[in-house]
Short mmCIF file of all heavy atoms in Angstrom, two decimals:
data_model
loop_
_atom_site.label_atom_id
_atom_site.label_comp_id
_atom_site.label_asym_id
_atom_site.label_seq_id
_atom_site.Cartn_x
_atom_site.Cartn_y
_atom_site.Cartn_z
N PRO B 14 0.27 -8.94 -5.28
CA PRO B 14 1.51 -8.30 -4.82
C PRO B 14 1.56 -8.10 -3.33
O PRO B 14 2.62 -8.16 -2.71
CB PRO B 14 1.55 -6.98 -5.58
CG PRO B 14 0.23 -6.77 -6.16
CD PRO B 14 -0.42 -8.10 -6.26
N VAL B 15 0.39 -7.89 -2.76
CA VAL B 15 0.29 -7.70 -1.31
C VAL B 15 0.65 -9.01 -0.60
O VAL B 15 1.44 -8.99 0.37
CB VAL B 15 -1.16 -7.26 -0.95
CG1 VAL B 15 -1.47 -7.51 0.49
CG2 VAL B 15 -1.38 -5.79 -1.29
N ALA B 16 0.16 -10.11 -1.09
CA ALA B 16 0.47 -11.42 -0.50
C ALA B 16 1.99 -11.69 -0.64
O ALA B 16 2.64 -12.21 0.25
CB ALA B 16 -0.32 -12.51 -1.16
N ARG B 17 2.53 -11.30 -1.79
CA ARG B 17 3.97 -11.50 -2.05
C ARG B 17 4.79 -10.72 -1.06
O ARG B 17 5.80 -11.20 -0.55
CB ARG B 17 4.28 -11.02 -3.47
CG ARG B 17 5.19 -11.95 -4.24
CD ARG B 17 5.49 -11.42 -5.62
NE ARG B 17 4.38 -11.54 -6.54
CZ ARG B 17 3.85 -10.55 -7.22
NH1 ARG B 17 4.26 -9.31 -7.09
NH2 ARG B 17 2.85 -10.76 -8.05
N ILE B 18 4.36 -9.50 -0.74
CA ILE B 18 5.12 -8.68 0.21
C ILE B 18 5.06 -9.37 1.58
O ILE B 18 6.08 -9.42 2.27
CB ILE B 18 4.57 -7.25 0.26
CG1 ILE B 18 4.94 -6.52 -1.01
CG2 ILE B 18 5.11 -6.53 1.47
CD1 ILE B 18 4.25 -5.17 -1.17
N LEU B 19 3.91 -9.87 1.94
CA LEU B 19 3.80 -10.57 3.22
C LEU B 19 4.75 -11.77 3.27
O LEU B 19 5.42 -12.01 4.29
CB LEU B 19 2.36 -11.06 3.46
CG LEU B 19 1.38 -10.03 4.01
CD1 LEU B 19 -0.05 -10.55 4.01
CD2 LEU B 19 1.75 -9.68 5.46
N MET B 20 4.84 -12.49 2.15
CA MET B 20 5.75 -13.62 2.11
C MET B 20 7.20 -13.15 2.24
O MET B 20 8.02 -13.76 2.96
CB MET B 20 5.58 -14.42 0.81
CG MET B 20 4.20 -15.02 0.60
SD MET B 20 3.76 -16.29 1.81
CE MET B 20 4.68 -17.70 1.19
N ASN B 21 7.54 -12.08 1.54
CA ASN B 21 8.87 -11.52 1.63
C ASN B 21 9.18 -11.04 3.04
O ASN B 21 10.34 -11.00 3.45
CB ASN B 21 9.06 -10.35 0.65
CG ASN B 21 9.15 -10.78 -0.77
OD1 ASN B 21 9.41 -11.96 -1.05
ND2 ASN B 21 8.92 -9.90 -1.70
N ALA B 22 8.16 -10.67 3.76
CA ALA B 22 8.32 -10.15 5.11
C ALA B 22 8.48 -11.29 6.13
O ALA B 22 8.62 -11.05 7.31
CB ALA B 22 7.16 -9.26 5.51
N GLY B 23 8.41 -12.50 5.66
CA GLY B 23 8.73 -13.63 6.55
C GLY B 23 7.55 -14.55 6.82
O GLY B 23 7.68 -15.50 7.60
N ALA B 24 6.39 -14.27 6.23
CA ALA B 24 5.24 -15.18 6.43
C ALA B 24 5.52 -16.48 5.72
O ALA B 24 6.02 -16.50 4.60
CB ALA B 24 3.96 -14.53 5.89
N LYS B 25 5.18 -17.58 6.39
CA LYS B 25 5.32 -18.90 5.72
C LYS B 25 4.12 -19.11 4.78
O LYS B 25 4.30 -19.60 3.68
CB LYS B 25 5.32 -19.99 6.79
CG LYS B 25 6.52 -19.98 7.71
CD LYS B 25 7.70 -20.73 7.13
CE LYS B 25 8.82 -20.80 8.14
NZ LYS B 25 9.40 -19.47 8.44
N ARG B 26 2.95 -18.80 5.26
CA ARG B 26 1.76 -18.90 4.44
C ARG B 26 0.87 -17.69 4.73
O ARG B 26 0.96 -17.09 5.83
CB ARG B 26 0.93 -20.18 4.78
CG ARG B 26 1.53 -21.41 4.17
CD ARG B 26 0.48 -22.58 4.24
NE ARG B 26 0.15 -22.90 5.62
CZ ARG B 26 0.68 -23.90 6.29
NH1 ARG B 26 1.59 -24.70 5.76
NH2 ARG B 26 0.32 -24.14 7.53
N VAL B 27 0.03 -17.33 3.82
CA VAL B 27 -0.84 -16.17 3.95
C VAL B 27 -2.27 -16.55 3.60
O VAL B 27 -2.51 -17.11 2.55
CB VAL B 27 -0.35 -15.06 3.02
CG1 VAL B 27 -1.27 -13.85 3.05
CG2 VAL B 27 1.08 -14.61 3.33
N SER B 28 -3.18 -16.29 4.56
CA SER B 28 -4.58 -16.61 4.24
C SER B 28 -5.16 -15.56 3.31
O SER B 28 -4.66 -14.45 3.20
CB SER B 28 -5.40 -16.65 5.54
OG SER B 28 -5.69 -15.32 6.01
N ALA B 29 -6.27 -15.92 2.66
CA ALA B 29 -6.94 -14.96 1.78
C ALA B 29 -7.39 -13.75 2.59
O ALA B 29 -7.26 -12.60 2.10
CB ALA B 29 -8.16 -15.62 1.10
N GLY B 30 -7.86 -13.98 3.81
CA GLY B 30 -8.27 -12.89 4.65
C GLY B 30 -7.14 -11.95 4.97
O GLY B 30 -7.36 -10.73 5.13
N ALA B 31 -5.95 -12.49 5.11
CA ALA B 31 -4.81 -11.64 5.44
C ALA B 31 -4.47 -10.70 4.28
O ALA B 31 -4.22 -9.48 4.47
CB ALA B 31 -3.57 -12.52 5.77
N SER B 32 -4.46 -11.25 3.05
CA SER B 32 -4.20 -10.41 1.90
C SER B 32 -5.25 -9.32 1.78
O SER B 32 -4.97 -8.16 1.46
CB SER B 32 -4.20 -11.25 0.62
OG SER B 32 -3.28 -12.30 0.72
N GLU B 33 -6.50 -9.71 2.04
CA GLU B 33 -7.60 -8.75 1.89
C GLU B 33 -7.49 -7.67 2.97
O GLU B 33 -7.62 -6.48 2.67
CB GLU B 33 -8.93 -9.46 1.99
CG GLU B 33 -10.08 -8.57 1.59
CD GLU B 33 -11.34 -9.34 1.27
OE1 GLU B 33 -11.21 -10.53 0.89
OE2 GLU B 33 -12.42 -8.78 1.42
N ALA B 34 -7.24 -8.07 4.22
CA ALA B 34 -7.11 -7.10 5.29
C ALA B 34 -5.98 -6.14 5.01
O ALA B 34 -6.04 -4.94 5.24
CB ALA B 34 -6.89 -7.83 6.64
N PHE B 35 -4.87 -6.70 4.48
CA PHE B 35 -3.72 -5.93 4.16
C PHE B 35 -3.99 -4.95 3.03
O PHE B 35 -3.64 -3.74 3.11
CB PHE B 35 -2.59 -6.88 3.78
CG PHE B 35 -1.22 -6.32 4.03
CD1 PHE B 35 -1.05 -5.10 4.63
CD2 PHE B 35 -0.11 -7.05 3.68
CE1 PHE B 35 0.24 -4.60 4.89
CE2 PHE B 35 1.17 -6.58 3.92
CZ PHE B 35 1.33 -5.34 4.51
N ALA B 36 -4.65 -5.44 1.97
CA ALA B 36 -4.97 -4.57 0.85
C ALA B 36 -5.90 -3.44 1.31
O ALA B 36 -5.75 -2.28 0.88
CB ALA B 36 -5.59 -5.36 -0.29
N ASP B 37 -6.87 -3.76 2.17
CA ASP B 37 -7.79 -2.76 2.67
C ASP B 37 -7.03 -1.72 3.49
O ASP B 37 -7.26 -0.52 3.33
CB ASP B 37 -8.86 -3.40 3.56
CG ASP B 37 -9.90 -4.13 2.74
OD1 ASP B 37 -9.88 -3.99 1.50
OD2 ASP B 37 -10.73 -4.82 3.36
N PHE B 38 -6.14 -2.19 4.36
CA PHE B 38 -5.39 -1.29 5.18
C PHE B 38 -4.52 -0.33 4.31
O PHE B 38 -4.53 0.89 4.51
CB PHE B 38 -4.45 -2.07 6.10
CG PHE B 38 -3.36 -1.24 6.70
CD1 PHE B 38 -3.61 -0.35 7.71
CD2 PHE B 38 -2.06 -1.38 6.23
CE1 PHE B 38 -2.60 0.42 8.29
CE2 PHE B 38 -1.02 -0.62 6.78
CZ PHE B 38 -1.29 0.29 7.81
N ILE B 39 -3.85 -0.90 3.33
CA ILE B 39 -3.03 -0.12 2.44
C ILE B 39 -3.87 0.89 1.68
O ILE B 39 -3.50 2.05 1.55
CB ILE B 39 -2.26 -1.04 1.42
CG1 ILE B 39 -1.16 -1.79 2.18
CG2 ILE B 39 -1.67 -0.20 0.30
CD1 ILE B 39 -0.49 -2.86 1.35
N HIS B 40 -5.03 0.45 1.25
CA HIS B 40 -5.92 1.33 0.49
C HIS B 40 -6.34 2.51 1.32
O HIS B 40 -6.33 3.67 0.85
CB HIS B 40 -7.13 0.55 0.00
CG HIS B 40 -7.99 1.28 -0.93
ND1 HIS B 40 -9.32 1.48 -0.76
CD2 HIS B 40 -7.67 1.91 -2.11
CE1 HIS B 40 -9.81 2.20 -1.76
NE2 HIS B 40 -8.83 2.46 -2.60
N GLU B 41 -6.71 2.27 2.58
CA GLU B 41 -7.13 3.39 3.42
C GLU B 41 -5.99 4.36 3.72
O GLU B 41 -6.16 5.58 3.64
CB GLU B 41 -7.70 2.85 4.74
CG GLU B 41 -9.03 2.19 4.53
CD GLU B 41 -9.86 2.15 5.78
OE1 GLU B 41 -9.51 2.81 6.78
OE2 GLU B 41 -10.85 1.42 5.80
N ARG B 42 -4.84 3.81 4.06
CA ARG B 42 -3.66 4.64 4.30
C ARG B 42 -3.35 5.43 3.06
O ARG B 42 -3.07 6.64 3.13
CB ARG B 42 -2.45 3.76 4.65
CG ARG B 42 -2.42 3.25 6.02
CD ARG B 42 -2.03 4.32 7.04
NE ARG B 42 -0.68 4.79 6.80
CZ ARG B 42 -0.20 5.94 7.28
NH1 ARG B 42 -0.98 6.71 7.99
NH2 ARG B 42 1.04 6.30 7.04
N ALA B 43 -3.42 4.78 1.91
CA ALA B 43 -3.10 5.42 0.64
C ALA B 43 -4.06 6.58 0.34
O ALA B 43 -3.61 7.63 -0.14
CB ALA B 43 -3.10 4.39 -0.50
N LEU B 44 -5.31 6.38 0.66
CA LEU B 44 -6.28 7.46 0.42
C LEU B 44 -5.95 8.67 1.30
O LEU B 44 -5.98 9.82 0.85
CB LEU B 44 -7.69 6.97 0.74
CG LEU B 44 -8.51 6.42 -0.40
CD1 LEU B 44 -9.89 5.99 0.04
CD2 LEU B 44 -8.64 7.40 -1.55
#
Side-chain angles (χ1 to χ4, degrees):
Chain B
V15 160
R17 222 180 286 124
I18 288 171
L19 276 171
M20 298 296 282
N21 287 342
K25 295 272 186 296
R26 283 194 297 262
V27 175
S28 77
S32 303
E33 191 162 334
F35 206 3
D37 285 351
F38 163 74
I39 289 173
H40 189 234
E41 289 203 12
R42 283 284 296 162
L44 268 181

